[in-house]
Amino acid sequence: MKILSLFSLASLILLSGCQPREDGRTAPTPQPKQQQPEPSREQLEEASAPARLPSPTNSMVGINATNQGYAMVQPWSKENPAYSQGFGIYLGDGNILTAANIVYSASFVEVTSADGSQTVPVTVTAFDPEANLALLRLKNEKDASFLDKLVPVTLGSAPRLGDKVVFWQFNDDGLPITTSGTLLATESSSPFTNSEPFVLYNVKSSVTPLKGGAGNPIMRDNELVALSANCDPSAQKALAVTQTMISRFLKQARSGNYIGFPADGTQVTELTDPVFRKFLGLPETGGGFYVVKLPVYGSFYKAGVRPGDVVESVNGIPLDSKGLIKDPALGPVSANVLFRDSAMPGDTITLGIRRKDKDGVSQPMTLDVKLDRSALDGDLVNPAPFVSNPPYRIYGGLVFVPLTGALIGEINKLSKNRPPLNLVEAIQKKEDIRKKGVDEIVVFLMALPTQATLGYAQMSPSIVEKVNGVQVKSLKHLNQLLDLPAPGGTHRIEVSQQPYAMYMSQKEAAKADRFIQMRAVPVLRRD
């Protein structure tokens, strides 16, 4: 029975295969099989090779920069070239992130591969000396293959105190060097300039920095979480720009319209002294900071904040008596992080403040502040430590420049930190000077030796007050006044140094200018 059943089943299958087709239906035309191309050797190798992971040699570059800025005390000439080195990290899309202090005032920048086999020139596309961050891109399209060899890294999430991180670098032989560390604390500091502080990471690590210790990526799980600003091997720590700052920097830089971080210019003091709190009419316990002084052109003042106010909260987050907030990841940090590090110009924050009313009673209120950079941009003295193309005017051998932080810095070096008192006084009283309608403080810097400047060298450096009785508002305004016909053919220039007035004949000035152009300075002004 078993054999018969199998035979019957086979017969049925055979008969079904021989059944005639239905009328009007034809069998489909057989299609030739498509020939699949044989994969190339390169494709086979690529398919079999594991994905390359980020590493110091795969994702980092060395940076060499030639720095040659203008001499602030001779703004028509450049300083001797200086050279700086550091590291950068490739972020993909052609962008290399590094520290600003490596490429400041750079006339030429190049990046080199870890093994030193290829070096290509780059340009600085975004630069922020306050945050100590810069973004680089290749200068020439023909060098695109340089980036093809690099593995991009991604920006990771913000770390927490106690997180383990890794400090990346490579040596001159191209060997990767990784040093473990711990995010130990934070501190308020300016990573490069003397501007308003940021909250920076303090990474505890026994790192021995190479090439200056700036621009090194600090990684966690192969993702970028910070960038070194400087290292202190003796203290076994690295100070690093935070993930938050890098995120805000990249967002602006990639938009092609880099503005910078907000700045408010407010001077504050903490409220830990119970006597001071009682004087202000505040409860014995509580938090906030006391506003001592703020610029009238800054965002806080424009929003209604005034000296004497007590700021108790920012965006509903309470402050302690030291003006700190409790960050869930970083612990107690400066409230500045809410309107400096983690904000962008144009953002709005809400301040909870207390202010005494006419009866001396402290009253709570809220103010919305639209953040901007007017506290820096509107300053009579540009606080930047260097100026890329400093303006100046030479008239008859008299040299005039704006008063800037860069100029003060260079004068401090030359005078061994003993700057002229009239310049120091001008900085301290710049808000009083502003009331005269001044937009930029102008300095009579020096007198070049000509027949028209005899006896005037001793009056420099000094603040320029007036020309022919007209208050000088800026260097541009000074140029306009000097270009006008002088009363009686002679300009009277008043300055803050005895004997307080210089007289310059327009005819003698023209002769002196021709002499200077032939002998020393071919370009007499840069507006």
Side-chain angles (χ1 to χ4, degrees):
M1 292 297 295
K2 185 175 182 181
I3 296 175
L4 179 60
S5 299
L6 290 173
F7 176 78
S8 301
L9 179 61
S11 300
L12 290 172
I13 293 173
L14 180 62
L15 289 172
S16 65
C18 297
Q19 292 296 320
R21 300 187 182 95
E22 296 181 13
D23 293 341
R25 296 182 64 183
T26 58
T29 304
Q31 297 295 323
K33 293 183 178 181
Q34 294 184 355
Q35 295 291 329
Q36 295 294 331
E38 292 292 329
S40 66
R41 181 179 177 182
E42 290 78 7
Q43 288 174 323
L44 289 173
E45 291 178 351
E46 183 177 350
S48 60
R52 298 168 66 207
L53 296 176
S55 72
T57 51
N58 285 345
S59 305
M60 289 180 65
V61 295
I63 299 175
N64 303 312
T66 302
N67 310 111
Q68 191 176 21
Y70 283 94
M72 293 297 107
V73 294
Q74 292 183 347
W76 55 87
S77 63
K78 287 198 169 185
E79 298 175 329
N80 293 329
Y83 305 96
S84 59
Q85 290 184 314
F87 291 102
I89 185 74
Y90 183 53
L91 303 177
D93 297 326
N95 294 309
I96 298 170
L97 181 69
T98 189
N101 63 340
I102 301 172
V103 297
Y104 82 96
S105 298
S107 57
F108 178 76
V109 185
E110 63 181 10
V111 296
T112 182
S113 58
D115 59 8
S117 63
Q118 191 176 5
T119 300
V120 296
V122 293
T123 58
V124 180
T125 58
F127 177 77
D128 192 329
E130 296 172 34
N132 200 21
L133 294 171
L135 205 61
L136 313 177
R137 293 185 69 88
L138 295 181
K139 188 173 184 179
N140 303 314
E141 292 183 3
K142 65 182 180 64
D143 296 323
S145 61
F146 179 90
L147 298 179
D148 295 339
K149 303 175 184 177
L150 297 177
V151 179
V153 303
T154 57
L155 184 64
S157 58
R160 305 174 67 92
L161 290 185
D163 279 0
K164 301 298 182 182
V165 294
V166 181
F167 188 95
W168 277 9
Q169 52 188 338
F170 56 77
N171 66 12
D172 291 338
D173 295 327
L175 296 177
I177 300 175
T178 59
T179 309
S180 61
T182 304
L183 179 53
L184 193 64
T186 61
E187 62 181 80
S188 294
S189 177
S190 297
F192 180 33
T193 68
N194 292 323
S195 62
E196 293 184 27
F198 293 94
V199 173
L200 303 181
Y201 295 148
N202 188 329
V203 178
K204 187 70 173 179
S205 176
S206 57
V207 64
T208 300
L210 303 176
K211 297 186 178 182
N216 297 74
I218 295 175
M219 312 291 290
R220 185 189 59 185
D221 299 330
N222 276 338
E223 292 183 327
L224 179 70
V225 294
L227 196 76
S228 67
N230 58 68
C231 298
D232 186 351
S234 62
Q236 293 191 337
K237 76 170 186 176
L239 205 59
V241 178
T242 66
Q243 182 270 358
T244 301
M245 293 171 62
I246 295 173
S247 174
R248 298 302 185 273
F249 171 80
L250 292 177
K251 184 176 180 179
Q252 284 194 59
R254 287 167 173 165
S255 72
N257 181 30
Y258 193 80
I259 301 173
F261 287 80
D264 62 276
T266 305
Q267 299 179 26
V268 303
T269 187
E270 59 187 38
L271 294 171
T272 55
D273 186 349
V275 177
F276 187 39
R277 295 186 64 87
K278 185 176 181 180
F279 169 77
L280 296 174
L282 299 174
E284 293 183 3
T285 60
F289 58 71
Y290 178 78
V291 178
V292 179
K293 188 178 180 181
L294 72 168
V296 298
Y297 44 86
S299 58
F300 276 33
Y301 191 93
K302 288 186 291 187
V305 181
R306 294 294 181 266
D309 287 346
V310 173
V311 178
E312 295 183 310
S313 66
V314 180
N315 291 337
I317 301 174
L319 280 61
D320 67 14
S321 59
K322 294 183 178 180
L324 307 178
I325 64 167
K326 189 173 183 179
D327 186 273
L330 301 176
V333 296
S334 169
N336 209 38
V337 72
L338 298 174
F339 46 84
R340 175 90 163 136
D341 308 48
S342 58
M344 296 178 66
D347 291 351
T348 299
I349 62 171
T350 300
L351 301 180
I353 70 172
R354 279 188 175 273
R355 178 182 299 170
K356 283 186 177 182
D357 60 19
K358 60 182 181 180
D359 298 323
V361 179
S362 180
Q363 299 290 348
M365 59 186 299
T366 60
L367 293 173
D368 290 333
V369 180
K370 186 175 182 180
L371 301 175
D372 58 30
R373 289 181 54 81
S374 55
L376 292 177
D377 297 338
D379 200 324
L380 293 188
V381 181
N382 180 352
F386 53 88
V387 181
S388 56
N389 295 291
Y392 67 91
R393 172 68 185 271
I394 299 176
Y395 185 73
L398 304 177
V399 180
F400 302 100
V401 298
L403 181 59
T404 63
L407 177 63
I408 290 293
E410 194 157 340
I411 289 176
N412 280 346
K413 292 179 184 178
L414 296 175
S415 64
K416 297 181 179 180
N417 290 322
R418 294 180 179 179
L421 291 178
N422 68 86
L423 299 189
V424 174
E425 185 180 25
I427 294 174
Q428 293 174 344
K429 297 183 177 180
K430 57 186 178 183
E431 296 311 312
D432 294 330
I433 295 175
R434 181 187 297 276
K435 295 175 182 178
K436 300 178 182 180
V438 174
D439 299 318
E440 181 181 63
I441 299 175
V442 180
V443 176
F444 164 47
L445 184 61
M446 69 175 71
L448 300 178
T450 70
Q451 290 294 325
T453 60
L454 294 176
Y456 292 150
Q458 63 184 0
M459 298 170 64
S460 66
S462 58
I463 304 301
V464 179
E465 302 283 353
K466 299 178 180 179
V467 172
N468 301 323
V470 179
Q471 177 69 54
V472 174
K473 299 179 181 180
S474 63
L475 182 65
K476 182 179 180 181
H477 185 221
L478 172 73
N479 288 334
Q480 294 172 349
L481 295 174
L482 294 177
D483 291 340
L484 292 173
T490 300
H491 286 301
R492 185 176 190 269
I493 304 170
E494 298 178 40
V495 297
S496 60
Q497 197 88 332
Q498 289 183 332
Y500 303 116
M502 300 181 292
Y503 297 88
M504 181 62 65
S505 163
Q506 284 187 300
K507 186 179 294 185
E508 291 300 320
K511 290 180 182 179
D513 286 345
R514 288 192 294 270
F515 174 81
I516 292 170
Q517 284 183 293
M518 288 188 296
R519 299 293 182 92
V521 186
V523 180
L524 297 179
R525 63 194 289 178
R526 184 189 296 122
D527 294 327

